[in-house]
Amino acid sequence: MKSHRKELKQGEILFSEGDSPDYAYLIEHGVLEISSIQNGEHIVLGELTDGRLLGEMAVLDDSPRVASAVAKTDCVLIEIDKDQFLERLIKSDPVVRSLLASLLRRYRSTLANLKGESQTELFSDTNIFERVTIEKIRLEGQLRAAIQNDDLDVRYQPILDVESNKIAGYEALVRWDHPEHGQILPTEFVTLAEETSLIFEVGEYVIDTVCAAIKQFMQYSTDKVVPFVAVNISGRQLSHPGLIELITNRVEQNQIPEESFKLEITEGLALEHSEVQRTIQLCHQHGMRVALDDFGTGYSNLSLLHKLDFDTIKIDQAFASEILEDDRSLALVKSMVSMCKALNADVLVEGVENEVIFEILSNIGCKYAQGFFVGKPQKLEEVLEARLVG
């Protein structure tokens, strides 16, 4: 990949119509005249001067030059080769790449029509990519409509207090049952939402839904103990300065206990130390608790963890699935439990799938257990019915 200066004297040709494209050019100094042969006649299309880019269209789609460029004054240009364009194009947003492909296609079609030529099919690979990207844009619009129409489904997976053997709370898990594509995984549409500000709308939807659910828990719990509900916070939500204020306002509006709303922050986000620390401090000021999710999945940084005052640390389900088969995994879980207790944090183990695993975790002092052995994600109506019966 290279980029260097090219100098032209007045009257020199930079490139001619029909040439193969090697470079695009950024005009550092001077004036270039752009012209074309149309119906046998030389037509001046315009002039370009300092700071303008030219020749990029042919470089992007590797097509012959559609015009000629001649120096009207002495010129200094910076050459930009294909690799530089492609590298930046590959790293750009998919929507930007798709829109650029559409622009190039319309540009070539217009030129062909002006010259009375037939338009050949360009960008066969890009066409496929463009269709995928357009579908992605369409999906974003449908997700926005699903939020507005209350079509997202929040499920509640129970969390068991190991010592009392009672359900202490739930994790809120958002689902989207798409009318055409069926069940879309949260990882898919949350990732899609994070690419735009739509993630804030998804987050607000879940917050409102959870607050309303907790309010019903207060009415349906026979023992009058209000369970907490844990809500996952994405990286982009975490950076929103008004997140905690939004939650506390909703908590106050619904007149629910502050401690019943719990935030979950994934371990990878804990590396954003100052942002997470600020979030935890704000939550604690308002009586809300914060959990560290997916602990042990590869981002563990103990030098940061001991500075972050998490109320609960959730050990990733990958460890629970291994403790029956591997003594080293069991030893590792034991050490993590001991460490969390030393940090005055409750321990929750995810992925508890059977009674044997549950008993082991109970014996090593885990506070909470979550998994299919405890219960699968349920609709709110199912949860309320279970609490009413219980």
Side-chain angles (χ1 to χ4, degrees):
M1 183 171 69
K2 58 183 179 178
S3 175
H4 55 76
R5 290 157 63 93
K6 182 179 182 68
E7 297 184 3
L8 293 176
K9 296 294 184 181
Q10 183 180 0
E12 280 191 283
I13 298 172
L14 178 61
F15 54 75
S16 297
E17 189 172 350
D19 286 352
S20 296
D22 294 320
Y23 300 98
Y25 301 92
L26 179 65
I27 304 174
E28 193 171 276
H29 177 71
V31 180
L32 284 162
E33 181 183 270
I34 311 300
S35 62
S36 176
I37 303 298
Q38 296 181 16
N39 299 319
E41 183 180 356
H42 180 263
I43 304 293
V44 175
L45 302 175
E47 295 180 354
L48 298 176
T49 187
D50 301 7
R52 298 296 299 274
L53 186 68
L54 73 155
E56 74 280 7
M57 292 293 196
V59 170
L60 284 170
D61 63 4
D62 201 26
S63 295
R65 302 287 189 188
V66 297
S68 300
V70 179
K72 284 202 71 175
T73 67
D74 291 351
C75 295
V76 177
L77 308 112
I78 298 175
E79 294 181 337
I80 307 171
D81 68 18
K82 294 179 183 179
D83 290 340
Q84 286 177 282
F85 267 110
L86 290 174
E87 180 183 25
R88 284 160 177 75
L89 191 59
I90 289 169
K91 291 179 180 179
S92 70
D93 185 278
V95 174
V96 173
R97 295 202 297 271
S98 178
L99 293 175
L100 179 58
S102 296
L103 176 64
L104 283 168
R105 186 171 292 104
R106 288 195 294 269
Y107 169 74
R108 293 300 181 200
S109 178
T110 300
L111 285 176
N113 290 334
L114 287 173
K115 295 185 176 183
E117 300 171 353
S118 60
Q119 170 67 13
T120 57
E121 182 63 21
L122 301 172
F123 316 111
S124 57
D125 292 338
T126 310
N127 286 342
I128 297 171
F129 179 79
E130 183 180 6
R131 286 195 294 272
V132 172
T133 304
I134 289 173
E135 175 61 24
K136 187 176 182 181
I137 295 172
R138 180 169 172 260
L139 202 60
E140 286 178 5
Q142 291 171 333
L143 177 56
R144 191 180 301 276
I147 296 169
Q148 294 171 348
N149 297 329
D150 198 27
D151 287 337
L152 292 183
D153 182 21
V154 178
R155 301 291 177 97
Y156 301 87
Q157 184 168 23
I159 296 170
L160 186 72
D161 183 298
V162 174
E163 185 176 355
S164 67
N165 200 35
K166 293 184 177 180
I167 300 301
Y170 303 86
E171 180 180 1
L173 302 168
V174 63
R175 301 284 186 264
W176 183 19
D177 192 6
H178 192 278
E180 299 172 19
H181 304 296
Q183 194 74 228
I184 297 181
L185 295 174
T187 50
E188 293 179 19
F189 72 82
V190 169
T191 300
L192 179 71
E194 279 204 301
E195 293 177 3
T196 67
S197 59
L198 197 57
I199 188 62
F200 302 124
E201 294 184 39
V202 172
E204 189 168 352
Y205 180 96
V206 174
I207 290 166
D208 286 340
T209 304
V210 165
C211 286
I214 294 172
K215 194 168 185 178
Q216 292 198 60
F217 289 160
M218 294 171 65
Q219 300 172 0
Y220 280 76
S221 297
T222 55
D223 54 8
K224 301 303 178 182
V225 175
V226 181
F228 64 81
V229 179
V231 175
N232 292 282
I233 300 300
S234 75
R236 207 150 170 217
Q237 285 176 278
L238 190 67
S239 65
H240 194 287
L243 173 67
I244 306 304
E245 289 75 9
L246 170 68
I247 294 172
T248 54
N249 285 340
R250 295 298 195 274
V251 166
E252 290 175 6
Q253 288 170 8
N254 285 275
Q255 298 181 323
I256 61 177
E258 292 88 348
E259 66 273 12
S260 64
F261 195 105
K262 192 171 188 176
L263 267 65
E264 287 192 3
I265 297 172
T266 59
E267 187 182 32
L269 297 180
L271 294 180
E272 300 293 334
H273 174 252
S274 59
E275 193 68 53
V276 174
Q277 187 177 46
R278 186 187 73 86
T279 300
I280 294 174
Q281 288 173 347
L282 281 173
C283 285
H284 286 173
Q285 287 172 14
H286 291 284
M288 294 187 297
R289 293 170 291 175
V290 186
L292 175 65
D293 196 13
D294 295 335
F295 181 68
T297 54
Y299 293 95
S300 302
N301 189 324
L302 300 183
S303 65
L304 291 180
L305 186 59
H306 85 277
K307 298 177 184 177
L308 298 174
D309 190 17
F310 286 105
D311 301 284
T312 305
I313 295 177
K314 297 181 69 174
I315 297 176
D316 187 72
Q317 60 183 350
F319 293 95
S321 62
E322 295 290 331
I323 60 176
L324 294 180
E325 309 294 334
D326 185 1
D327 290 340
R328 291 167 62 89
S329 294
L330 177 57
L332 190 57
V333 172
K334 285 181 178 179
S335 66
M336 285 192 285
V337 171
S338 297
M339 180 193 67
C340 293
K341 286 186 174 181
L343 295 172
N344 294 317
D346 294 328
V347 180
L348 185 155
V349 178
E350 301 175 294
V352 180
E353 307 299 315
N354 57 60
E355 188 175 1
V356 178
I357 294 176
F358 175 77
E359 290 297 333
I360 293 173
L361 297 176
S362 176
N363 291 333
I364 62 176
C366 292
K367 171 68 173 176
Y368 299 116
Q370 182 179 2
F372 283 2
F373 175 73
V374 176
K376 297 181 180 181
Q378 300 171 316
K379 294 182 178 181
L380 177 61
E381 296 78 14
E382 297 172 321
V383 174
L384 293 175
E385 183 179 353
R387 295 197 69 83
L388 188 60
V389 171

